């Protein structure tokens, strides 16, 4: 089962990089913050306007390459997508939980 408690910070194995999924409710856009060694390293989505959670996931590898960080694995991409949907919350998060057969209370634990 997924560890829903860590979807807000995805550590990339073998690196000192952490990806933090963000949803801005005012702009209704998604972005991904890159943190390296505990310091902000860049924002994927600062210029782009990602309206759907899959958009930053599909293009995150090019952003990471620009910052000298390896590409995400398929599993990390799936977790990043889940983190973006969790950041948005609401019915999208509930639908994702239902689609993977998770109980919403697992998120609260």
């Amino acid at each position: 089962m997924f560890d829903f408690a860590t979807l807000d910070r995805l550590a990339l194995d073998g690196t000192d990089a952490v990806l933090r999924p963000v949803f801005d409710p005012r702009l209704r856009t998604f972005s991904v913050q890159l943190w390296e060694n505990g310091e902000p390293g860049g924002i994927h989505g600062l210029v782009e306007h990602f309206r759907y959670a899959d958009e930053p996931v599909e293009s995150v590898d090019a952003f990471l390459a620009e910052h000298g960080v390896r590409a995400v694995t398929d599993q990390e991409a799936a977790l990043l997508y889940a983190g973006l949907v969790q950041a948005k919350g609401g019915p999208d998060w509930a639908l994702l939980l239902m689609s993977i057969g998770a109980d919403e209370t697992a998120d609260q634990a």
Side-chain angles (χ1 to χ4, degrees), residues 4-92:
F4 297 115
T6 61
L7 287 179
D8 63 339
R9 58 194 178 284
L10 174 63
L12 300 182
D13 290 336
T15 73
D16 59 359
V18 174
L19 301 179
R20 295 188 179 187
V22 177
F23 177 74
D24 184 327
R26 289 179 318 181
L27 299 175
R28 300 191 46 77
T29 58
F30 293 93
S31 62
V32 178
Q33 296 177 352
L34 170 64
W35 289 71
E36 296 179 278
N37 297 316
E39 299 288 326
I43 300 174
H44 182 48
L46 188 60
V47 177
E48 307 87 354
H49 296 284
F50 297 126
R51 297 279 181 188
Y52 303 98
D54 61 331
E55 294 174 327
V57 175
E58 290 171 353
S59 56
V60 74
D61 288 343
F63 166 77
L64 293 173
E66 291 173 9
H67 289 85
V69 178
R70 70 162 175 80
V72 296
T73 64
D74 289 344
Q75 182 178 2
E76 290 166 341
L79 291 172
L80 179 58
Y81 176 81
L84 288 162
V85 175
Q86 183 186 48
K88 182 179 180 188
D92 292 342

